[in-house]
Amino acid sequence: MNVTLKILRYNPEKDEKGHYETYSVEAEPTDRLLDLLEEIKGHQDGTLTFRRSCAHGVCGSDAMRINGSNKLACQVLIKNVGAKITIEPLLGLKVVKDLIVDMEPFFDNYKKVLPHLINESALPADGKERIQSQKERARFDDTTKCIMCAACTTSCPSFWGNDDFLGPAALVSAHRFVFDSRDEGASERLEVLSETFGVARCHTAFNCTSACPRDIKITQAIGELKMAMVTGKLD
Amino acid sequence: MDNVHQFEVIVVGAGGAGLMAGLYASKIAKTAVISKLYPTRSHTGAAQGGISAALGNYEEDNPDWHVYDTVKGSDYLGDQDAIEFMCHEAIQAVYELEHMGLPFDRTPEGRIAQRPFGGHTNNKTGKAVRRACHAADRTGHMILQTLYQQCLKNKVNFYDEFQVLDILIEDGKTVGVVGVELATGELHTFHAKSVIIATGGHGRVWEITSNAYAYTGDGAAIVSRHGIPLEDMEFFQFHPTGIYKMGILITEGVRGEGGVLLNNEGTRFMETYAPTVKDLASRDVVSRAMYLEMRAGRGIDGNRYCYLDVTPATVNKYAEIDGRTNPDGSPYVVTGEQILSKIPDIVDFSRTYLGVDPITQPMPVQPTAHYAMGGIPTNKSGEVVIDDKNTVFPGLFAAGEAACVSVHGANRLGTNSLLDIVVFGKHAGIRAAEFAQGADYVALPADPTDFSRQQVDRLKNGSGKENAFDIGKEMKAVMFDEVGVYRTEEGIQKAVEKLTELQERFKGVKVQDTGKIFNTELLNTWELGNLLDMAEITAAAALNRKESRGGHARDDYPERDDKNWLKHSLAWKKDGKIKLGYKPVVLTKFKPKKRVY
Ligand SMILES: Cc1cc2nc3c(=O)[nH]c(=O)nc-3n(C[C@H](O)[C@H](O)[C@H](O)COP(=O)(O)OP(=O)(O)OC[C@H]3O[C@@H](n4cnc5c(N)ncnc54)[C@H](O)[C@@H]3O)c2cc1C
Ligand code: FES
């Protein structure tokens, strides 16, 4: 089938502002959108610029706006988006070139939530693993799946509007540790969240949850963090 | 000079191996990690099934069994001293990951959960043993995340989205590396005493592959351009279960959970090829079996794929036939829900890319290019060794899939790569830092970025008669057809000639993008040059090795030939020609014998 892609282009070395360019590509319905971008880059326009690596939705490189919603280009099959596709860079982060946005502020927010296990207690004397029940492990399973593609954070109206809001992805990472039974840093982390308006700015628009390519229940996770801040309890 | 940085240790690559090296080196020496991808985008994150260690959390296991299984899996080409070292370090390495916070799945007692994997056995009974420690089917993702988090916590220096183009060597000593900052296009010189190459593999040489776009053999190609040999490059692993046509990996863990391979007659054909462990035989064995089935016309609908069936009905049927039991002795029976909880990502991949729900339907699969057993030769400490006498190259280290220690020999066992990157990443980091502490900086050359600029200029100033994308496509096709699961003299020869032609045509490539900021076209084209080198060296080494061993299966020399070929190959690329040499395999406890599963 023939597919028309309308892509928002911007090259800071040449363009004052962004403009759309249109490409036409022959494709199989089962092709990934990423395959088509590669085809365009390979045969029509080498200057088209985007990030990608794994090509199957696990590395988080190629989040972009596809027909208006945030998705990974490698996870979108042509048969599911039709023959006319509009592609734009993520919103809320500075566009560096074409579909590449500046990820630094995003990763900076991630770093703020102390994303590492905090546990100063002695390790088991036999040197083996800490014991964690299956139920305790299941408690935070969902938020371990995050690949930091930024699809959620850049779909969030509160993030677009506020420089001091950490955004859903950072909160997902906070959740992953706060609810890990082995972690002892919950209060430190929750403090960061209250100082940075971490959770308060979330108005449960649910955009993040529908944008997540890993189907993480983000709004729920943020809700659980809010609850923990209010009650001081983790369950 | 602008853009010059000085670190005692430079690590190139931020996957599992690079992060582990960075973490350990920075405890001792001033260290930086350079990566062309954001660290969390590294391919380690794609690893699914697990990391091996004989913890024995469900049943009796023993590191010595792990050693033997790895030696046997390697078809006796692995160096047994290095294998012993790795398998014994494994236990502490996995506990260390847990202590760092890695969220492993748990046993009912709250210990690290383990699953069966290809080639992992109880050496007394020959039966499969649960040795693969897992976090659902995203073990690699968890390892990558955990190590990155530890690096952040320990304030390791990172240069993210910097792509290394060259290593600096003066008078046989390591001086540093040169890389381009993607965001600006500027070249940066990193002056160092020790350099650790941890750039991963080169599976993008083949058409059907489980590997990321970034898997272009950069590190191996870079050092090879400086006269350093590559080891055992003819050995590349084809994983039996890639998604048909796309190559996306379906972990062996699916068979570990009870999934079976079926041909068009609905027969579980692995029974014929590996009567004891059946679907959990080593990967090379299973991939070849699938090819033989397809050749005999038993692919599904006459096509080049088989079915991988993990629907509860099928799993339970064969579990009963095999007499498989749970740890408590009760019969092994699964529900769809349990399958989903064990392999959630696989279920997702299958639904997304195949439109197939694996809980109710079988998945079409074919062998997919997966893992580089060969690479930059090193010893157990990660030091690069450059000849048959294992002479150490001062200041140069390698770890992970880019390296060849060699613990995988002719065929890697599933879960041994995640183990390899953690164990040897750590030791390379320690050794590199120790070396740096006892060494002085060697002065930088007058124009350190000279060769990097030359490489880039060539791509900008070609005639433009040739298209890089097409050259890449032709390379992938000929490598998959002729230097794939099965190989013949005639076929490899054809590939060699084709690659010579493609190398010539590559000179006529010219990139369109003349900008500096994120010129990914330029860098992708440079990577294609690396892939062509990897392909050429692989084909030359494959043509040379006249036997079948592990991942290298020759139709015209179907048997392993220990008399003539129980040796590693070394390949040097110089002036466009490939020279081959050898080095002995280290045998300690295990004498080569026939490999039966
Ligand atoms: C789909 C899949 C599933 C797998 N499952 C398993 C499993 O279950 N168990 C197991 O043991 N193994 C598994 N493997 C294999 C294993 O994951 C890899 O071999 C291993 O993760 C490689 O780690 P690494 O650190 O060597 O490389 P990577 O993690 O790939 O890291 C390479 C790094 O080098 C950087 N880099 C590359 N070139 C340059 C350059 N020119 N300049 C700067 N930086 C550069 C990249 O940015 C990246 O950070 C799997 C592999 C795949 C593809
Ligand atoms: S390329 Fe890795 S998520 Fe799409």
Side-chain angles (χ1 to χ4, degrees):
Chain A
M1 66 193 269
N2 190 279
V3 178
T4 309
L5 293 100
K6 198 173 124 194
I7 305 179
L8 184 54
R9 303 288 310 267
Y10 169 68
N11 178 351
E13 293 173 89
K14 287 200 187 127
D15 306 329
E16 292 213 340
K17 57 183 186 22
H19 61 279
Y20 287 93
E21 272 179 43
T22 304
Y23 304 88
S24 155
V25 193
E26 271 310 309
E28 299 285 334
T30 50
D31 280 344
R32 290 163 278 205
L33 180 56
L34 179 62
D35 300 327
L36 271 57
L37 294 177
E38 285 289 322
E39 170 63 28
I40 293 171
K41 191 171 176 70
H43 281 135
Q44 301 186 27
D45 187 347
T47 66
L48 178 65
T49 304
F50 48 93
R51 291 189 179 97
R52 90 292 193 245
S53 188
C54 72
H56 66 285
V58 296
C59 79
S61 295
D62 59 345
M64 48 188 80
R65 256 185 316 148
I66 297 164
N67 287 343
S69 40
N70 288 358
K71 294 199 160 68
L72 302 172
C74 65
Q75 244 187 12
V76 169
L77 300 192
I78 298 309
K79 62 176 182 199
N80 298 329
V81 277
K84 284 203 174 10
I85 309 169
T86 304
I87 307 175
E88 296 153 322
L90 296 173
L91 291 173
L93 292 169
K94 190 174 148 263
V95 178
V96 179
K97 181 178 175 184
D98 292 347
L99 301 170
I100 294 189
V101 294
D102 178 10
M103 295 291 291
E104 288 301 321
F106 175 82
F107 280 107
D108 286 346
N109 284 351
Y110 169 71
K111 289 168 195 167
K112 282 184 196 144
V113 301
L114 313 174
H116 56 264
L117 190 79
I118 299 178
N119 183 324
E120 301 301 327
S121 309
L123 291 168
D126 58 6
K128 294 187 177 181
E129 69 271 58
R130 296 187 184 90
I131 302 294
Q132 180 172 53
S133 74
Q134 292 179 337
K135 197 168 154 228
E136 287 167 335
R137 169 64 181 78
R139 181 66 189 84
F140 64 102
D141 186 62
D142 201 39
T143 44
T144 63
K145 297 191 299 197
C146 176
I147 55 175
M148 302 204 270
C149 65
C152 61
T153 294
T154 59
S155 74
C156 172
S158 304
F159 179 75
W160 303 333
N162 294 285
D163 286 342
D164 56 1
F165 179 48
L166 294 176
L171 298 177
V172 163
S173 297
H175 182 280
R176 177 254 170 271
F177 287 104
V178 167
F179 291 93
D180 184 335
S181 58
R182 300 168 299 171
D183 187 81
E184 296 167 349
S187 51
E188 246 174 288
R189 251 180 233 108
L190 293 176
E191 210 174 291
V192 174
L193 299 193
S194 56
E195 277 168 10
T196 53
F197 304 99
V199 288
R201 290 257 194 265
C202 168
H203 301 304
T204 44
F206 279 99
N207 286 17
C208 54
T209 303
S210 40
C212 179
R214 306 283 289 159
D215 294 329
I216 300 173
K217 296 181 197 73
I218 304 176
T219 316
Q220 183 182 326
I222 298 175
E224 289 171 2
L225 285 171
K226 280 186 188 167
M227 203 60 165
M229 288 172 70
V230 176
T231 63
K233 280 205 219 107
L234 306 174
D235 44 32
Chain B
M1 263 184 287
D2 287 345
N3 298 338
V4 177
H5 316 268
Q6 200 177 55
F7 290 94
E8 291 180 285
V9 180
I10 283 289
V11 184
V12 186
L19 293 176
M20 201 68 182
L23 198 55
Y24 271 89
S26 59
K27 291 183 188 183
I28 307 170
K30 190 182 168 203
T31 302
V33 180
I34 307 177
S35 176
K36 67 179 178 182
L37 305 171
Y38 272 107
T40 57
R41 316 273 190 245
S42 302
H43 209 41
T44 293
Q48 303 169 353
I51 173 168
S52 50
L55 306 183
N57 279 353
Y58 286 112
E59 60 223 338
E60 186 189 0
D61 198 3
N62 183 328
D64 288 327
W65 297 351
H66 189 184
V67 175
Y68 172 70
D69 289 344
T70 304
V71 171
K72 178 181 174 188
S74 82
D75 221 348
Y76 294 92
L77 194 72
D79 289 330
Q80 295 182 11
D81 57 339
I83 293 175
E84 276 177 49
F85 178 73
M86 177 178 80
C87 297
H88 283 265
E89 289 257 309
I91 296 177
Q92 213 36 59
V94 167
Y95 288 141
E96 185 182 3
L97 290 172
E98 197 282 330
H99 296 162
M100 287 176 176
L102 196 140
F104 283 109
D105 289 348
R106 299 290 168 155
T107 69
E109 293 75 37
R111 299 206 168 272
I112 295 170
Q114 299 184 278
R115 60 162 59 113
F117 238 75
H120 297 188
T121 63
N122 174 318
N123 286 184
K124 289 188 289 196
T125 62
K127 289 260 166 66
V129 72
R130 277 162 271 219
R131 188 179 293 147
C133 310
H134 59 88
D137 49 1
R138 42 178 178 274
T139 314
H141 167 77
M142 303 296 197
I143 290 182
L144 188 64
Q145 299 271 328
T146 304
L147 292 178
Y148 183 54
Q149 290 157 357
Q150 288 298 309
C151 285
L152 292 179
K153 178 182 168 198
N154 289 287
K155 307 215 163 15
V156 175
N157 301 296
F158 282 99
Y159 288 85
D160 294 339
E161 300 203 311
F162 275 68
Q163 184 153 357
V164 169
L165 302 179
D166 189 25
I167 180 162
L168 300 171
I169 286 174
E170 291 283 296
D171 302 329
K173 292 202 179 103
T174 309
V175 187
V177 298
V178 175
V180 54
E181 180 180 20
L182 301 191
T184 61
E186 297 289 334
L187 288 175
H188 287 244
T189 301
F190 294 86
H191 192 192
K193 299 180 190 174
S194 298
V195 170
I196 305 175
I197 306 285
T199 48
H202 53 265
R204 281 276 153 180
V205 158
W206 287 269
E207 182 181 342
I208 306 290
T209 178
S210 67
N211 284 188
Y213 277 104
Y215 256 32
T216 52
D218 297 2
I222 287 170
V223 299
S224 156
R225 282 177 201 131
H226 286 275
I228 286 159
L230 301 180
E231 181 176 346
D232 290 341
M233 290 292 283
E234 62 273 42
F235 297 102
F236 198 89
Q237 179 168 78
F238 286 76
H239 192 294
T241 55
I243 286 184
Y244 181 48
K245 284 190 176 162
M246 288 185 161
I248 298 169
L249 193 79
I250 303 291
T251 173
E252 208 161 283
V254 169
R255 282 169 285 141
E257 300 299 341
V260 294
L261 287 160
L262 303 173
N263 63 18
N264 70 342
E265 293 162 359
T267 306
R268 180 203 203 179
F269 56 84
M270 280 313 297
E271 235 153 31
T272 326
Y273 300 91
T276 315
V277 290
K278 305 180 185 102
D279 295 89
L280 286 175
S282 245
R283 290 179 180 170
D284 57 331
V285 175
V286 182
S287 285
R288 281 196 295 275
M290 290 171 73
Y291 260 66
L292 293 175
E293 288 297 306
M294 296 187 288
R295 262 191 212 173
R298 291 193 291 271
I300 308 296
D301 300 332
N303 284 320
R304 290 165 69 87
Y305 66 89
C306 300
Y307 275 143
L308 174 59
D309 193 337
V310 70
T311 60
T314 305
V315 169
N316 294 337
K317 172 176 155 194
Y318 288 102
E320 191 182 342
I321 294 173
D322 294 348
R324 184 169 173 180
T325 54
N326 294 315
D328 65 5
S330 60
Y332 183 84
V333 181
V334 296
T335 63
E337 233 164 69
Q338 284 165 328
I339 297 284
L340 180 62
S341 76
K342 290 286 176 58
I343 50 164
D345 283 8
I346 297 298
V347 172
D348 255 6
F349 296 154
S350 182
R351 286 175 181 161
T352 305
Y353 296 108
L354 289 165
V356 164
D357 184 350
I359 308 291
T360 56
Q361 291 165 282
M363 296 173 271
V365 292
Q366 77 180 122
T368 182
H370 185 57
Y371 182 83
M373 271 78 72
I376 307 167
T378 73
N379 58 25
K380 284 184 297 205
S381 311
E383 294 167 313
V384 173
V385 290
I386 52 171
D387 55 24
D388 55 343
K389 293 178 199 66
N390 287 316
T391 306
V392 169
F393 192 98
L396 186 56
F397 302 79
E401 194 170 334
C404 178
V405 183
S406 138
V407 283
H408 310 303
N411 171 65
R412 170 174 74 85
L413 281 197
T415 70
N416 267 353
S417 172
L418 290 177
L419 178 60
D420 167 350
I421 62 178
V422 174
V423 168
F424 294 107
K426 168 176 166 179
H427 287 280
I430 294 173
R431 184 69 201 109
E434 286 171 358
F435 174 86
Q437 298 268 286
D440 292 321
Y441 284 101
V442 177
L444 284 171
D447 186 1
T449 56
D450 179 43
F451 183 57
S452 300
R453 275 200 318 273
Q454 281 180 38
Q455 296 188 69
V456 167
D457 288 346
R458 217 185 82 184
L459 302 175
K460 284 185 180 159
N461 302 323
S463 64
K465 281 202 302 254
E466 295 288 344
N467 177 286
F469 197 73
D470 292 335
I471 292 176
K473 254 190 157 157
E474 289 176 43
M475 168 193 69
K476 289 167 206 280
V478 76
M479 289 300 286
F480 197 72
D481 292 343
E482 309 297 354
V483 196
V485 172
Y486 273 107
R487 303 159 176 193
T488 64
E489 185 88 11
E490 210 190 338
I492 309 173
Q493 190 62 49
K494 197 171 129 194
V496 167
E497 283 158 25
K498 181 77 190 176
L499 291 166
T500 310
E501 174 208 313
L502 294 175
Q503 286 277 22
E504 198 48 43
R505 281 170 51 195
F506 185 60
K507 294 180 186 151
V509 163
K510 178 189 171 96
V511 295
Q512 291 174 299
D513 194 337
T514 53
K516 295 192 73 146
I517 297 176
F518 272 101
N519 191 336
T520 55
E521 188 195 10
L522 183 67
L523 292 166
N524 295 352
T525 310
W526 176 76
E527 290 170 343
L528 174 61
N530 300 339
L531 286 174
L532 285 167
D533 283 1
M534 293 297 108
E536 254 192 322
I537 295 171
T538 304
L543 187 62
N544 186 51
R545 187 175 283 270
K546 296 186 174 32
E547 64 157 352
S548 288
R549 184 187 296 272
H552 174 67
R554 295 268 312 235
D555 262 342
D556 40 2
Y557 301 95
E559 298 300 323
R560 195 174 81 200
D561 174 2
D562 288 333
K563 201 162 138 261
N564 295 304
W565 289 102
L566 183 57
K567 54 190 178 188
H568 298 292
S569 67
L570 295 175
W572 288 262
K573 184 166 182 202
K574 199 162 182 255
D575 305 326
K577 295 226 158 39
I578 289 152
K579 190 186 102 190
L580 290 155
Y582 305 98
K583 98 175 167 182
V585 174
V586 180
L587 302 173
T588 56
K589 285 193 198 138
F590 305 103
K591 291 240 157 18
K593 57 181 182 194
K594 203 169 160 59
R595 205 163 145 246
V596 189
Y597 281 100

